[in-house]
């Protein structure tokens, strides 16, 4: 599958890879250059491969509450929250964003690789008969990220961007097109906006070109999934399929803060209550390598200094801004404290690392 921006990616000579069943740009000018553009100026991401599902009707809130672990009753129109869906076992179906569009109208934004699975899960767990619509094929999504993003987006809309605080959104005209949803949820640790618009009611290519023109004097760079991954890793944000999946639960993954066990029944609640009371035997932690030329990768074993295997790397790589290897991984709880020394097995050699609470890179203020 391809997003509507595929021809633009080809024109820009992007390196294309398969990601979640989509042909997506992993890089244009280079991951490091794109990463630094977002940290220091502004980058433009095509994230139209993400999925969007509407839940509507008089029982929409009940349905969202049943499907997700966070408390959607706390939302108001124009607000969003981070959440996840769990299996009855407490394992994670997917992490997602919940937007309250209006009364009885919610938008769930899900991961690209999970669109079909998630949509089927929602349809099969709809006891309140809400209207559940997969709008993924119709909605385009661009992310404008970096300290200069307000200036870029501000050139194209009359919306009061200063009023769009973290995890809020509004709908406004942008680049001459009506009904563009502008949100601020972020995945890079920088100031930025997500732009949702209907491909059938806009000209997506024109919106892309307008954003690039608006940022032309501000150092804007098209940015691919490679930079998106290195940016989120510097913040310690989990990635579905790596750091969270069906065999992990919110409490061991550090997502207890979004898991509201005091709300009404929801899928997985009983299992999650038991998991919390028993306390998980392992935890998702961040770590940094001691030597700068050592780079962790997914799947590398994590050992205690004694040589005992205690876990495994779930995400890892080079911190572009800091210049040393960083990563996330699950370790036995007794090794999860800040400053604990561990070893990573890199090419069958023990390389030293230190447990470090993310974010690794101190993000700019939202």
């Amino acid at each position: 599958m391809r997003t509507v921006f595929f021809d633009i990616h080809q024109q820009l000579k992007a390196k294309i890879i398969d990601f979640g069943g989509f042909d997506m740009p992993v890089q244009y000018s280079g991951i490091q250059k794109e990463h630094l553009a977002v940290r220091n100026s502004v980058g433009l991401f095509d994230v139209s491969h993400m999925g969007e599902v509407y839940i509507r009707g008089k029982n929409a809130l009940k349905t969202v509450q049943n499907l997700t672990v966070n408390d959607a009753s706390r939302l108001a129109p124009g607000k969003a929250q981070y959440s996840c869906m769990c299996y009855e076992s407490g394992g994670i179906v997917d992490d997602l964003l919940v937007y309250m569009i209006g009364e009885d109208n919610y938008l769930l934004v899900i991961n690209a690789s999970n669109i079909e699975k998630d949509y089927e899960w929602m349809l099969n767990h709809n006891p309140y008969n809400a209207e559940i619509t997969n709008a993924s094929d119709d909605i385009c999504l661009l992310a404008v990220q970096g300290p200069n993003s307000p200036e870029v987006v501000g050139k194209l809309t009359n919306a009061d961007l200063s009023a769009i605080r973290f995890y809020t959104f509004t709908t406004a005209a942008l680049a001459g097109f009506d009904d563009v949803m502008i949100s601020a949820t972020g995945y890079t640790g920088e100031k930025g906006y997500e732009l949702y618009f209907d491909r059938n009611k806009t000209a997506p290519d024109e919106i892309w070109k307008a954003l690039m023109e608006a940022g032309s004097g501000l150092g804007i760079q098209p940015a691919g999934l490679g930079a998106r991954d290195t940016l989120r890793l510097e913040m310690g944000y989990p990635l579905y399929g790596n750091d969270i999946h069906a065999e992990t639960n919110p409490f061991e993954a550090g997502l207890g803060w979004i898991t509201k066990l005091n709300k009404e029944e929801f899928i997985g609640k009983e299992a999650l209550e038991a998991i919390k009371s028993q306390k998980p035997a392992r935890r998702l932690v961040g770590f940094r390598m001691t030597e700068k030329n050592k780079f962790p990768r997914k799947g590398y074993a994590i050992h205690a200094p004694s040589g005992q295997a205690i876990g495994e790397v779930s995400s890892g790589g080079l911190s572009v801004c800091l210049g040393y290897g960083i990563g996330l991984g699950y370790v036995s709880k007794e090794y999860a404290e800040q400053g604990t020394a561990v070893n990573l097995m890199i090419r069958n050699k023990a390389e030293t690392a230190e447990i470090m609470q993310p974010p690794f890179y101190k993000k700019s203020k939202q």
Side-chain angles (χ1 to χ4, degrees):
M1 293 183 286
R2 295 173 176 176
T3 75
V4 295
F5 301 104
F6 181 79
D7 288 346
I8 289 178
H9 303 323
Q10 282 199 312
Q11 291 165 14
L12 293 172
K13 301 188 184 317
K15 179 181 178 181
I16 304 294
I17 64 166
D18 175 80
F19 184 85
F22 287 82
D23 294 329
M24 294 296 295
V26 66
Q27 62 180 0
Y28 301 85
S29 56
I31 292 174
Q32 182 169 332
K33 183 177 181 180
E34 295 161 26
H35 181 113
L36 292 174
V38 173
R39 288 281 180 246
N40 300 320
S41 177
V42 60
L44 177 59
F45 297 86
D46 172 17
V47 278
S48 299
H49 61 314
M50 300 290 283
E52 293 85 15
V53 177
Y54 283 101
I55 298 182
R56 301 184 176 104
K58 66 178 183 179
N59 290 322
L61 177 57
K62 284 186 177 181
T63 302
V64 174
Q65 290 285 69
N66 182 55
L67 287 167
T68 64
V69 303
N70 209 333
D71 187 357
S73 71
R74 297 182 180 183
L75 291 173
K79 305 286 187 182
Q81 69 180 194
Y82 180 55
S83 191
C84 69
M85 297 188 294
C86 285
Y87 295 102
E88 290 85 349
S89 65
I92 298 174
V93 177
D94 202 3
D95 65 331
L96 49 85
L97 297 173
V98 179
Y99 290 87
M100 186 177 181
I101 307 299
E103 187 175 359
D104 302 329
N105 188 1
Y106 296 83
L107 176 65
L108 276 58
V109 180
I110 56 182
N111 284 296
S113 60
N114 291 336
I115 293 174
E116 291 184 11
K117 180 196 74 175
D118 286 3
Y119 183 50
E120 184 177 357
W121 178 261
M122 294 178 201
L123 291 177
N124 290 335
H125 295 82
N126 183 21
Y128 304 108
N129 296 315
E131 177 188 338
I132 302 178
T133 306
N134 183 2
S136 304
D137 291 341
D138 295 323
I139 295 180
C140 298
L141 176 55
L142 294 175
V144 186
Q145 297 284 302
N148 289 333
S149 57
E151 188 172 351
V152 173
V153 177
K155 291 180 179 181
L156 303 176
T157 182
N158 290 325
D160 181 6
L161 298 181
S162 66
I164 306 176
R165 301 191 181 278
F166 204 38
Y167 275 80
T168 70
F169 66 96
T170 191
T171 300
L174 183 138
F177 298 98
D178 294 331
D179 300 324
V180 176
M181 194 171 91
I182 307 171
S183 75
T185 58
Y187 196 55
T188 64
E190 297 297 334
K191 184 72 175 178
Y193 304 97
E194 299 78 45
L195 309 175
Y196 296 85
F197 47 95
D198 191 325
R199 63 182 295 177
N200 304 305
K201 299 177 181 178
T202 60
D205 286 9
E206 290 186 24
I207 293 178
W208 174 283
K209 292 173 184 176
L211 289 165
M212 290 299 294
E213 289 173 6
S216 61
L218 297 167
I220 194 170
Q221 293 281 328
L225 296 182
R228 191 166 171 83
D229 190 53
T230 56
L231 288 158
R232 71 93 190 170
L233 185 57
E234 282 188 341
M235 300 310 299
Y237 295 151
L239 176 66
Y240 188 89
N242 283 38
D243 313 298
I244 52 176
H245 45 75
E247 303 305 316
T248 62
N249 65 71
F251 289 108
E252 66 184 7
L255 299 178
W257 62 278
I258 65 169
T259 307
K260 304 300 193 295
L261 297 177
N262 59 347
K263 74 170 188 172
E264 64 268 29
E265 290 300 315
F266 61 89
I267 301 170
K269 180 179 180 180
E270 184 176 346
L272 290 170
E273 287 175 331
I275 290 168
K276 183 180 181 182
S277 66
Q278 295 166 7
K279 298 183 180 179
R282 62 176 186 169
R283 283 173 51 191
L284 181 65
V285 298
F287 61 86
R288 58 165 290 178
M289 303 303 298
T290 302
E291 296 184 40
K292 285 194 171 185
N293 63 341
K294 306 299 179 183
F295 306 123
R297 300 296 180 200
K298 178 182 177 180
Y300 284 3
I302 303 175
H303 286 187
S306 64
Q308 175 190 359
I310 58 170
E312 184 175 279
V313 176
S314 55
S315 289
L318 170 69
S319 168
V320 174
C321 290
L322 304 177
Y324 52 73
I326 57 173
L328 301 174
Y330 284 90
V331 299
S332 302
K333 62 182 180 181
E334 56 267 32
Y335 295 93
E337 294 303 316
Q338 176 93 356
T340 301
V342 296
N343 292 332
L344 265 67
M345 301 307 297
I346 301 178
R347 299 184 185 88
N348 296 318
K349 183 180 178 182
E351 304 290 354
T352 58
E354 178 183 349
I355 300 298
M356 180 179 179
Q357 182 69 28
F360 303 102
Y361 172 84
K362 301 304 180 183
K363 63 180 179 179
S364 60
K365 293 182 179 180
Q366 294 288 344

